[in-house]
Amino acid sequence: MLGYTITQWIFGILSFMAIMFALMVVFSRNPVNSVLYLVLTFFCIAGHYLLMNAQFLAVVHIAVYAGAIMVLFLFVIMLMNLNEDAEPQKTMVSKIIAGVIGGMLLLVLVGALKGTSQLGLSQYGHSEIGLVKKLGHVLFHEFLFPFEIVSVLLLSALVGAIMIGKKEIK
């Protein structure tokens, strides 16, 4: 208990919160609340990325998953107008089978992780590998030509999409 660092405490708190929010996603009866709990789970996972010194991955995770995909999920859920009357009810047998299969999966995961030692992520690779400065240096020095080719391809796709979507003037 005395040998824990602040990083280990933050990891434990983030892990607990991520698991609790993930369980709330599963057990919430309102689909909109489930999506919001999933966004909170994504924020906790982004916190784990920050602990592993992967700032760029954390920002991209928030922007892509919590920002874009979850907004689409919310729009779809709200457009579908889900009611309890329209939702098919699950039988008790299917709930028991789902519980047994989930328990077996948990048993397999615990058995697989039982023999592993503590994960020492800091001992692998360079300590600054996830920094944006390092990524930018590699991107603009070693991969400058492919980066420029991708930018030209994206620009041509943008122009093509505008030309296809433009109304014809008669």
Side-chain angles (χ1 to χ4, degrees), residues 12-155:
I13 291 169
L14 281 174
S15 299
F16 176 76
M17 288 173 48
I19 290 170
M20 295 309 334
F21 289 140
L23 287 174
M24 292 301 294
V25 168
V26 174
F27 292 122
S28 179
R29 294 206 179 264
N30 189 350
V32 175
N33 289 344
S34 291
V35 170
L36 294 176
Y37 285 129
L38 191 58
V39 169
L40 291 174
T41 306
F42 285 153
F43 276 111
C44 292
I45 291 171
H48 283 105
Y49 288 145
L50 288 175
L51 286 176
M52 292 188 294
N53 203 19
Q55 292 89 1
F56 181 73
L57 190 58
V59 170
V60 169
H61 182 78
I62 293 296
V64 171
Y65 288 110
I69 294 176
M70 285 300 113
V71 169
L72 289 175
F73 279 0
L74 276 175
F75 280 136
V76 168
I77 287 172
M78 289 180 181
L79 286 174
M80 287 175 52
N81 195 12
L82 297 174
N83 297 337
E84 285 187 27
D85 302 334
E87 187 176 328
Q89 299 297 322
K90 304 208 177 10
T91 63
M92 186 57 104
V93 173
S94 65
K95 290 180 183 179
I96 291 173
I97 290 172
V100 169
I101 290 174
M104 289 170 46
L105 177 65
L106 179 67
L107 186 67
V108 168
L109 287 174
V110 168
L113 295 175
K114 186 177 73 170
T116 61
S117 62
Q118 182 180 4
L119 295 175
L121 295 175
S122 62
Q123 67 187 357
Y124 299 112
H126 196 266
S127 64
E128 296 181 357
I129 199 162
L131 297 178
V132 177
K133 180 180 177 183
K134 198 66 148 170
L135 178 69
H137 180 74
V138 170
L139 187 64
F140 292 120
H141 285 92
E142 294 178 29
F143 296 102
L144 182 62
F145 185 69
F147 180 76
E148 291 299 326
I149 294 296
V150 167
S151 67
V152 170
L153 285 173
L154 288 173
L155 180 65

Side-chain angles (χ1 to χ4, degrees), residues 4-13 51-52:
Y4 289 119
T5 62
I6 188 71
T7 306
Q8 290 172 330
W9 279 103
I10 293 172
F11 177 81
I13 291 169
L51 286 176
M52 292 188 294

